[in-house]
């Protein structure tokens, strides 16, 4: 694991340098829009690189897709974050309700899932070497996605608002659950129930952690929402003056009733 940690720390230093450069050079709205499109495109290209290589040179692209269904279905959280980041980049207005929902989801959900994907990378754990392209590609895809996620606050597009943030995270948690159910259903209907159990989209069918069988998606989501509640409360305390924080407003509303 030491190799993985060192490699990821190097990647984070590179990401930090790129974010500083982006902040300095991408000052116009057009430049920001371009970078918010280029970043997810780079992640997608990295994600599909092995498939594209096989499609162009090796001739076994279809069998590769069968072995890696997350290239077809958004099985894991980072798959959904990646596509949502692209949709967010395509939106002309970053102030619409959809844009605010996506920015909240991509940042608050994405930063956790990308860091887990880098530092607890399943491909590396199963095959602890950086000499394997599939392993390195998986880590790099999460790293490019982390860069994409962090562009949102760097460009001033993260808009802290307790009630909106919590509402959007609740919507996101429900949406992820629905996506997971859909992916598991597709595997069950078109392949087998065993395949659905093995792929375990969104960790709904069983826990991803050995020794903690109770830690399935519903509990993970509930714990995540509690953490978001604490985090957004801290942000609200820092941002808002006394008497205007979410609990102050909630208490005032209850007192009026």
């Amino acid at each position: 694991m030491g190799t993985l940690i060192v490699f990821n720390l190097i990647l984070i230093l590179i990401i930090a340098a790129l974010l500083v450069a982006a902040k300095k050079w991408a000052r116009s709205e057009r430049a920001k829009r371009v970078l918010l499109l280029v970043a997810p495109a780079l992640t997608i290209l990295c994600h599909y690189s092995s498939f594209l290589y096989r499609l162009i040179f090796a001739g076994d692209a279809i069998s590769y897709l069968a072995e890696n269904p997350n290239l077809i279905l958004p099985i894991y959280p980072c798959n959904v974050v990646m596509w949502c980041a692209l949709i967010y980049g395509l939106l002309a207005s970053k102030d619409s309700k959809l844009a605010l929902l996506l920015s909240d989801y991509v940042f608050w959900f994405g930063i956790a899932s990308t860091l887990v994907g880098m530092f607890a990378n399943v491909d590396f754990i199963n095959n602890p070497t950086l000499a394997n392209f599939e392993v390195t590609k998986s880590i790099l895809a999460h790293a490019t996605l982390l860069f994409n996620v962090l562009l949102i606050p760097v460009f001033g597009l993260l808009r802290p608002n307790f009630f909106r943030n919590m509402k959007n995270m609740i919507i996101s948690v429900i949406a992820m659950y629905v996506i997971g159910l859909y992916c598991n259903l597709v595997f069950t209907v078109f392949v087998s129930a065993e395949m659905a159990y093995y792929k375990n989209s969104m960790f709904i069918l069983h826990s991803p952690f050995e020794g903690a069988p109770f830690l399935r998606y519903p509990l993970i989501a509930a714990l995540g929402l509690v953490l978001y509640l604490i985090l957004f409360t801290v942000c609200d305390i820092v941002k808002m003056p006394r008497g205007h924080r979410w609990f102050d407003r909630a208490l005032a509303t209850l007192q009026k009733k």
Side-chain angles (χ1 to χ4, degrees):
M1 291 297 291
T3 302
L4 179 62
I5 292 172
V6 170
F7 184 58
N8 279 322
L9 290 176
I10 293 171
L11 289 176
I12 286 175
L13 289 175
I14 295 172
I15 289 169
L18 291 173
L19 289 170
V20 170
K23 178 73 172 179
K24 182 177 181 180
W25 298 110
R27 294 183 178 179
S28 69
E29 291 304 312
R30 183 177 181 277
K32 292 176 182 178
R33 287 199 300 269
V34 169
L35 197 50
L36 285 168
L37 271 175
V38 169
L42 181 62
T43 301
I44 293 168
L45 180 62
C46 189
H47 184 57
Y48 284 90
S49 56
S50 294
F51 168 72
L52 293 173
Y53 174 82
R54 284 167 169 77
L55 184 66
I56 298 170
F57 299 107
D60 59 345
I62 302 303
S63 60
Y64 182 78
L65 278 181
E67 295 168 2
N68 297 273
N70 64 314
L71 296 176
I72 304 172
L73 295 170
I75 298 173
Y76 305 117
C78 284
N79 299 145
V80 182
V81 174
M82 176 182 72
W83 291 112
C84 284
L86 179 63
I87 295 169
Y88 179 72
L90 288 169
L91 294 177
S93 171
K94 298 297 187 286
D95 296 315
S96 66
K97 288 185 178 180
L98 177 58
L100 291 172
L101 169 62
L102 290 175
S103 65
D104 283 346
Y105 170 73
V106 169
F107 180 77
W108 294 112
F109 208 102
I111 195 166
S113 59
T114 51
L115 287 172
V116 169
M118 289 174 69
F119 285 93
N121 188 273
V122 175
D123 293 313
F124 184 89
I125 292 170
N126 293 332
N127 183 18
T129 175
L130 295 176
N132 183 289
F133 179 74
E134 291 294 324
V135 173
T136 305
K137 177 207 72 170
S138 175
I139 300 169
L140 289 175
H142 285 93
T144 59
L145 187 56
L146 178 62
F147 171 73
N148 193 164
V149 165
L150 293 174
L151 280 176
I152 292 174
V154 165
F155 286 162
L157 297 170
L158 191 66
R159 315 278 169 75
N161 178 294
F162 178 85
F163 290 108
R164 194 200 73 239
N165 293 152
M166 280 305 302
K167 179 191 72 174
N168 286 344
M169 294 318 298
I170 291 170
I171 292 171
S172 299
V173 162
I174 295 171
M176 296 283 283
Y177 187 66
V178 171
I179 291 170
L181 289 175
Y182 169 76
C183 292
N184 287 330
L185 178 63
V186 169
F187 284 125
T188 301
V189 172
F190 293 100
V191 186
S192 67
E194 290 76 13
M195 176 62 80
Y197 186 83
Y198 174 70
K199 290 302 179 182
N200 189 27
S201 180
M202 302 302 166
F203 316 118
I204 291 173
L205 300 177
H206 60 86
S207 171
F209 307 106
E210 291 185 12
F214 57 88
L215 208 55
R216 294 164 51 237
Y217 183 83
L219 181 56
I220 294 172
L223 292 173
L225 287 175
V226 171
L227 291 175
Y228 285 126
L229 175 65
I230 296 170
L231 177 61
F232 295 153
T233 298
V234 172
C235 291
D236 203 48
I237 290 171
V238 171
K239 178 186 175 186
M240 304 298 293
R242 287 180 182 272
H244 295 274
R245 293 157 184 168
W246 78 265
F247 43 84
D248 295 322
R249 287 179 285 163
L251 182 61
T253 302
L254 289 174
Q255 288 174 340
K256 287 179 182 178
K257 293 181 179 180

